Amino acid sequence: MALSPENRAGLDRALEAIAEAEAGPTVADLTGAPTIDHWRPLRSGSHTVVLWGNVSGHPLLGRDTTTTSPLLAIDVEARWARTKSRWYALGRPFAALEAELAKSMGVERPATDFIQFALPGYLPLESPDQLPELLANYIAWVREFDAADRAAAGREG
């Protein structure tokens, strides 16, 4: 079954965002990007990873705690992330806050997930090493979905 025009437009926007993520950000992309602090990647369903954190400078939310749209790419060293909807500048990761809080409590070597919280519908990643594979799998899934829709609608890629 072919997608509705609205759903096809959403899929096309996701494909554009994937292409932008693969190319990496320009200086202009990051200059106006919202910042996400105390960010933590979370799984949502079998295909999707999002970032959870405190966002500032967001065009719709202003300053708030949020989960992002699906994460497509992240470069922790260069301090950026690309989601389906926008670029983000990365502030402090949640792990840094967690370590700081543990130290202030006299815990020198905190266990993984020293600070635990539940966000319904989301699970923390078991290991940060999972992230590249999960993002690659999500992108492959989007592209497979696109190919199936194009075939159903009789369109060429």
Side-chain angles (χ1 to χ4, degrees), residues 20-34:
E20 291 173 4
E22 291 173 340
T26 65
V27 172
D29 289 330
L30 296 180
T31 298

Side-chain angles (χ1 to χ4, degrees), residues 3-149:
L3 293 173
S4 70
E6 297 82 20
N7 288 337
R8 182 68 231 180
L11 182 56
D12 287 340
R13 283 191 302 275
L15 291 165
E16 289 171 17
I18 289 168
E20 291 173 4
E22 291 173 340
T26 65
V27 172
D29 289 330
L30 296 180
T31 298
T35 298
I36 189 163
D37 280 309
H38 307 128
W39 56 271
R40 182 176 192 178
L42 302 173
R43 287 186 78 157
S44 173
S46 60
H47 296 289
T48 308
V49 176
V50 300
L51 291 180
W52 170 88
N54 300 318
V55 70
S56 59
H58 192 283
L60 302 174
L61 302 174
R63 183 176 196 84
D64 204 353
T65 300
T66 193
T67 55
T68 66
S69 61
L71 183 63
L72 303 173
I74 188 168
D75 188 329
V76 176
E77 296 296 318
R79 301 177 56 112
W80 60 262
R82 175 65 178 158
T83 68
K84 184 179 168 188
S85 61
R86 65 185 30 83
W87 293 99
Y88 284 90
L90 295 177
R92 285 181 57 189
F94 185 79
L97 173 65
E98 188 174 45
E100 185 179 296
L101 289 172
K103 188 174 182 178
S104 75
M105 297 170 72
V107 178
E108 290 300 320
R109 291 193 169 157
T112 303
D113 290 334
F114 177 72
I115 298 173
Q116 295 185 10
F117 64 92
L119 192 59
Y122 299 94
L123 297 171
L125 297 184
E126 293 173 16
S127 166
D129 297 338
Q130 294 176 297
L131 196 52
E133 181 180 355
L134 291 170
L135 297 180
N137 288 345
Y138 176 75
I139 289 170
W141 178 74
V142 170
R143 287 182 170 143
E144 288 170 15
F145 198 79
D146 173 54
D149 176 62

